[in-house]
């Protein structure tokens, strides 16, 4: 093989993927592991990688405990309510009790946080959200990680985790390739903290043609957090809990600052309030725990995100779309108008550009909203990810196996999108999770748990052959193209992605079917997924860039299969507005007040599903 093999040996903590979770991990690993070798492998460049790459206008998870604003228990209650009960309360509490200190550090490192000039307190957007000038959020946080790590390898697409050849189910590092030079990189490490991203672009996106790639979550979030961990045999949880976002149409501009700070509100196409009309019917579906007896919203609690979506989707289906965001009132105030534009210029510049390009001035016209295609991730209002151990002082036995944020694979830890059951962490919470994972990883090493790891030459060579196979396939068969990119012997990554997106959309509840699926559809989808998996063996890459796309697709396929399996397993509609099981349209607390956990056998590829107990560790107020 033409590409060089570069081996980095004797690593203590390998951070695979350095968005906010991974940067938190590298930073904290240095604190607990003064003499440890800490290495970062990142697909892009750590200065502009992960979901925060483009910037953010708010930090959506800040307790404000020092000002008596909220305590961690409040946040657990909020996340629990928003997710219709389904959170890992031990992990959520653990994140919430540490998150403020992370935010204070960001400020120390130079992140401009907006402040109330009178009180000096951070300016609140909503109960949990504080406002920032965050275009440079990621470079600022990355600097701390760069100073902490011994080495940062940018432009490395991590494709597989290395497994210990001496002991079953123990991690030994990771491998990947440099997306610029093509070189093969082997990282032998005692622990791995997976900080890779969730998954955009697994469901067919609304944006097509020239708009393709304009999606809400980072388009480069290729489900690698899940692809890597599932392939290593880690158990996953809540993978059915995909998220659908209400967003400004086509630009996918977030709505949080508008709703919460600008106090804008929504209307249907006739200029009417529509949300509350759907609540009585909703109580028939979800019961009265989340909405009150008259079907009105419980005034002291926010409406769960999925239920807000449900009203939106139902109103549009009733023929009264589009849904508008009423900006024309707020934008009459010059200060709020400025905030409205700044919000996008600092985080979703495409939305501002789109409005400018299409003559939409929110001061004189209420912009359209839409519901997005679903995303699979674990840090916004959804909790997909690995089944991880919690902290020992809080977690019940079923949630604790020695090391905080360690997956069911020994020595493999997660942070951010990688950890399941912990929604509403957002950027600051993901960074905090990275810190918690790194502290535990250092302890794992100090406890001698990583002794005697052996990685065979065979494993390294086998993975190398596997990784570069798409280039070989292309070389062997490229002359047999029949027309354009059509070849009887291979598919290219774009063709594979199109196929996956169509399958997920039509069988797993994408926007094209109004987020609806059922057992029959899921079984057909899984059958088609098997055929796609066979064809993944015949994927071809004409250059290193396509090789990157081929491996991203691989991770997306692994993620999607898991979403199919979980969606099939949970026979109820737990989150109307995220997806519907047409054959079980009601929330069913008698049978499904549980977390779902899956395991894919590394050798056979067979899935085993189980129900895990859902412990409510924090009392109702
Ligand atoms: P977004 O900007 O939409 O990503 O959301 C930012 C934050 O605002 C998150 O914490 C959301 O859960 C919250 N949020 C967004 N829209 C609303 C709303 N209509 N009511 C309450 N919270 C919201």
């Amino acid at each position: 093989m033409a590409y060089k093999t570069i081996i980095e040996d004797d690593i203590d903590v390998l951070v695979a993927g350095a968005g906010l979770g991974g940067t938190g991990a590298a930073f904290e690993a240095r604190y607990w592991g003064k003499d440890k070798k800490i290495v970062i492998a990142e697909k892009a460049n750590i200065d502009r990688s992960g979901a925060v790459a483009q910037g953010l206008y708010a930090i959506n998870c800040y307790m404000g405990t020092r000002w008596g604003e909220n305590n961690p228990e409040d946040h657990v209650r909020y996340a629990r309510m928003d997710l219709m009960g389904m959170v890992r309360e031990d992990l959520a509490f653990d994140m919430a009790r540490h998150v403020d200190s992370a935010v204070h550090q960001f400020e120390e490192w130079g992140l401009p946080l907006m402040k109330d000039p009178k009180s000096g307190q951070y300016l609140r957007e909503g109960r949990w959200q504080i406002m920032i000038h965050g275009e440079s959020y990621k470079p600022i946080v990355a600097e701390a990680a760069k100073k902490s790590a011994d080495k940062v390898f940018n432009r490395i697409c991590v494709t597989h985790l290395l497994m210990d050849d001496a002991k079953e189910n123990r991690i030994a590092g990771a491998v990947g390739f440099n997306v610029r030079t093509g070189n093969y990189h082997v990282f032998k490490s005692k622990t791995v903290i997976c900080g890779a991203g969730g998954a955009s672009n697994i469901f067919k996106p609304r944006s097509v043609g020239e708009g393709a790639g304009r999606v809400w979550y980072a388009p480069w979030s290729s489900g690698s957090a899940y692809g890597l961990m599932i392939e290593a045999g880690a158990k996953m949880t809540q993978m059915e809990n995909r998220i659908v976002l209400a967003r400004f149409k086509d630009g996918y501009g977030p709505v949080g600052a508008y709703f919460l700070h600008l106090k804008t509100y929504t209307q249907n196409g006739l200029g009417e309030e529509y949300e509350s009309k759907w609540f009585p019917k909703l109580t028939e579906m979800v019961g009265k725990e989340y909405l009150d007896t008259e079907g009105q919203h419980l005034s002291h609690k926010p409406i769960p995100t999925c239920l807000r979506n449900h009203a939106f989707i139902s109103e549009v289906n009733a023929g009264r779309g589009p849904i508008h965001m009423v900006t024309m009132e707020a934008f009459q105030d010059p200060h709020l108008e400025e905030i409205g534009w700044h919000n996008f210029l600092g985080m979703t510049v495409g939305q501002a550009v789109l409005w400018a390009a299409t003559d939409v001035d929110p001061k004189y016209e209420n912009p359209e909203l839409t519901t997005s295609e679903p995303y699979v991730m674990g840090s916004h209002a959804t909790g997909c990810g690995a089944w991880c151990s919690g902290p020992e002082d809080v977690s019940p036995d079923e949630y604790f196996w020695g090391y905080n944020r360690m997956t069911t694979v020994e020595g493999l830890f997660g942070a951010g999108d990688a950890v399941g059951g912990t929604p509403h962490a957002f950027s600051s919470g993901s960074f905090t999770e990275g810190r918690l994972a790194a502290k535990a990883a250092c302890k794992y090493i100090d406890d001698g748990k990583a002794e005697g790891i052996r990685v065979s030459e065979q494993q390294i060579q086998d993975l190398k052959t596997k990784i570069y196979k798409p280039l070989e396939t292309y070389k062997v068969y490229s002359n047999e193209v029949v027309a354009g990119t059509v070849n009887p012997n291979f598919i290219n990554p774009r063709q594979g992605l199109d196929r996956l997106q169509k399958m997920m959309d039509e069988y797993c509840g994408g926007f094209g079917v109004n987020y609806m699926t059922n057992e029959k559809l899921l079984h057909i989808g899984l059958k088609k997924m098997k055929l796609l998996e066979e064809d993944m063996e015949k994927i071809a890459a004409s250059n290193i860039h396509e090789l990157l796309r081929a491996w991203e697709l691989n991770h997306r396929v692994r993620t999607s299969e898991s979403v199919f399996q979980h969606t099939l397993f949970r026979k109820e509609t737990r989150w109307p507005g995220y997806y519907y099981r047409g054959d079980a349209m009601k929330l069913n607390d008698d049978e499904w007040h549980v977390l779902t956990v899956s395991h894919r056998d590394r050798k056979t590829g067979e899935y085993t599903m189980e129900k895990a107990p859902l412990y409510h560790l924090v009392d109702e107020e």
Side-chain angles (χ1 to χ4, degrees):
M1 187 97 31
Y3 295 112
K4 274 197 288 192
T5 298
I6 297 165
I7 297 183
E8 192 67 35
D9 215 340
D10 295 322
I11 304 170
D12 291 297
V13 179
L14 174 68
V15 176
L20 263 278
T23 47
F27 171 74
E28 192 76 11
R30 177 55 69 219
Y31 181 84
W32 297 99
K34 297 267 179 292
D35 305 317
K36 291 194 168 41
K37 182 170 172 183
I38 302 159
V39 170
I40 295 173
E42 161 59 48
K43 182 169 77 174
N45 184 306
I46 183 173
D47 282 340
R48 285 281 173 192
S49 67
V52 178
Q54 234 192 126
L56 278 181
Y57 200 70
I59 286 176
N60 286 337
C61 184
Y62 179 72
M63 303 298 113
T65 310
R66 68 177 173 186
W67 293 311
E69 292 180 307
N70 298 290
N71 59 45
E73 289 85 352
D74 296 327
H75 194 260
V76 174
R77 289 184 195 105
Y78 162 63
R80 177 170 69 198
M81 174 82 177
D82 194 59
L83 271 291
M84 311 297 282
M86 304 287 117
V87 287
R88 271 283 301 271
E89 295 187 15
D90 58 332
L91 295 171
F93 174 79
D94 191 34
M95 181 276 293
R97 68 178 161 177
H98 294 295
V99 70
D100 282 14
S101 70
V103 174
H104 301 157
Q105 264 167 341
F106 297 159
E107 187 176 29
E108 242 174 71
W109 297 339
L111 180 69
L113 287 91
M114 295 186 211
K115 288 191 174 152
D116 183 323
K118 286 197 203 102
S119 66
Q121 295 184 10
Y122 298 148
L123 195 62
R124 281 272 175 205
E125 182 178 286
R127 181 171 178 187
W128 306 105
Q129 303 82 2
I130 54 172
M131 297 172 71
I132 61 174
H133 292 288
E135 189 278 336
S136 299
Y137 190 177
K138 186 65 206 297
I140 289 168
V141 175
E143 194 178 334
K146 287 194 287 190
K147 284 186 170 145
S148 304
D150 291 277
K151 282 188 183 176
V152 178
F153 289 83
N154 285 316
R155 309 284 173 205
I156 304 289
C157 172
V158 175
T159 57
H160 300 81
L161 297 173
L162 276 173
M163 301 307 288
D164 182 11
D165 286 308
K167 187 172 180 222
E168 191 65 19
N169 194 41
R170 188 165 68 164
I171 211 73
V175 297
F177 65 95
N178 185 303
V179 302
R180 294 279 160 84
T181 65
N183 288 337
Y184 179 51
H185 282 260
V186 179
F187 301 93
K188 295 187 185 176
S189 183
K190 294 193 177 83
T191 62
V192 176
I193 299 176
C194 184
S200 59
N201 275 316
I202 66 173
F203 284 85
K204 185 160 75 182
R206 286 194 188 267
S207 304
V208 294
E210 65 172 5
R214 185 77 282 263
V215 289
W216 163 68
Y217 209 43
W220 49 84
S221 284
S222 49
S224 295
Y226 312 131
L228 291 168
M229 297 190 299
I230 295 170
E231 193 75 36
K235 287 187 176 179
M236 307 301 287
T237 187
Q238 300 303 100
M239 292 297 283
E240 69 277 29
N241 180 216
R242 74 295 287 281
I243 185 170
V244 170
L245 287 302
R247 288 290 177 253
F248 284 101
K249 191 167 180 298
D250 300 332
Y252 291 82
V255 297
Y258 279 73
F259 275 133
L260 302 175
H261 188 71
L262 307 188
K263 306 278 186 281
T264 61
Y265 54 93
T266 53
Q267 279 178 347
N268 68 13
L270 307 174
E272 302 161 344
E273 190 278 330
Y274 63 91
E275 248 180 20
S276 60
K277 276 194 303 197
W278 294 99
F279 293 157
K281 263 213 154 89
L282 256 176
T283 51
E284 289 169 25
M285 287 175 77
V286 301
K288 291 173 180 165
E289 197 175 328
Y290 306 99
L291 294 158
D292 80 7
T293 44
E294 276 80 52
Q296 295 304 310
H297 178 247
L298 298 167
S299 55
H300 62 292
K301 291 177 180 172
I303 309 169
T305 306
C306 60
L307 300 187
R308 265 190 272 126
N309 285 350
H310 174 79
F312 187 132
I313 295 162
S314 305
E315 188 69 7
V316 171
N317 287 347
R320 290 186 291 272
I323 303 301
H324 290 289
M325 183 72 103
V326 180
T327 50
M328 284 164 64
E329 291 165 15
F331 272 56
Q332 299 310 316
D333 175 337
H335 172 67
L336 295 184
E337 182 186 16
E338 190 177 313
I339 297 264
W341 283 101
H342 271 187
N343 179 48
F344 290 141
L345 291 172
M347 124 174 116
T348 314
V349 69
Q351 186 69 58
V353 172
L354 188 78
W355 279 346
T358 51
D359 292 337
V360 173
D361 184 342
K363 192 171 178 178
Y364 303 110
E365 179 180 344
N366 294 327
E368 279 178 74
L369 297 180
T370 191
T371 52
S372 74
E373 58 281 349
Y375 300 85
V376 180
M377 42 92 69
S379 51
H380 200 278
T382 188
C384 310
W387 184 241
C388 290
S389 175
E392 65 177 322
D393 62 333
V394 178
S395 305
D397 287 351
E398 287 95 333
Y399 293 176
F400 179 72
W401 46 97
Y403 299 93
N404 201 355
R405 265 73 179 179
M406 190 169 85
T407 68
T408 54
V409 174
E410 285 178 46
L412 175 61
F413 296 76
D417 282 341
V419 178
T422 58
H424 291 278
F426 297 101
S427 58
S428 49
S430 294
F431 184 89
T432 305
E433 277 199 318
R435 292 181 59 188
L436 294 165
K439 180 181 177 186
C442 289
K443 182 161 190 311
Y444 171 92
I445 297 166
D446 293 341
D447 288 350
K449 300 287 184 188
E451 298 297 317
I453 294 177
R454 186 169 56 80
V455 180
S456 66
E457 194 49 33
Q458 190 68 41
Q459 188 182 175
I460 290 173
Q461 281 314 316
D462 287 352
L463 285 170
K464 185 171 186 182
T465 309
K466 203 170 178 172
I467 290 170
Y468 294 97
K469 190 175 159 197
L471 290 174
E472 283 299 309
T473 304
Y474 185 83
K475 206 154 64 181
V476 174
Y477 295 112
S478 59
N479 284 340
E480 294 177 32
V481 162
V482 276
T485 52
V486 179
N487 190 307
N489 297 294
F490 62 64
I491 56 170
N492 66 34
R494 180 69 236 183
Q495 290 162 339
L497 184 64
D498 286 342
R499 199 161 135 192
L500 176 71
Q501 290 178 346
K502 183 169 158 61
M503 216 181 290
M504 291 299 284
D505 183 61
E506 293 174 356
Y507 295 101
C508 206
F511 80 86
V513 293
N514 274 313
Y515 313 102
M516 179 65 75
T517 186
N518 62 35
E519 186 168 330
K520 182 99 196 215
L521 285 161
L522 292 165
H523 278 299
I524 299 172
L526 273 168
K527 183 182 167 201
K528 287 175 187 262
M529 284 294 291
K530 273 221 152 31
L531 298 176
L532 176 61
E533 177 130 13
E534 280 175 24
D535 287 348
M536 290 299 289
E537 290 296 313
K538 296 175 188 153
I539 201 150
S542 61
N543 53 42
I544 305 168
H545 182 70
E546 271 204 322
L547 189 64
L548 165 72
R549 294 289 183 243
W551 283 104
E552 288 178 334
L553 178 61
N554 241 291
H555 293 164
R556 285 190 165 104
V557 168
R558 257 305 145 260
T559 305
S560 301
E561 181 189 41
S562 175
V563 175
F564 262 120
Q565 293 284 359
H566 275 256
T567 310
L568 182 61
F569 185 60
R570 185 183 281 283
K571 289 193 178 53
E572 66 160 355
T573 299
R574 169 65 51 173
W575 305 278
Y578 284 173
Y579 76 97
Y580 304 87
R581 275 282 304 248
D583 49 352
M585 278 296 275
K586 288 187 177 172
L587 182 148
N588 177 357
D589 260 341
D590 290 342
E591 287 169 64
W592 290 100
H593 202 81
V594 292
L595 296 167
T596 57
V597 176
S598 65
H599 178 240
R600 179 184 177 275
D601 188 292
R602 291 187 62 224
K603 301 203 172 88
T604 64
E606 289 301 315
Y607 266 82
T608 323
M609 304 297 306
E610 61 183 294
K611 290 178 177 180
L614 178 59
Y615 289 112
H616 295 306
L617 307 171
V618 172
D619 296 343
E620 280 297 326
E621 232 164 349

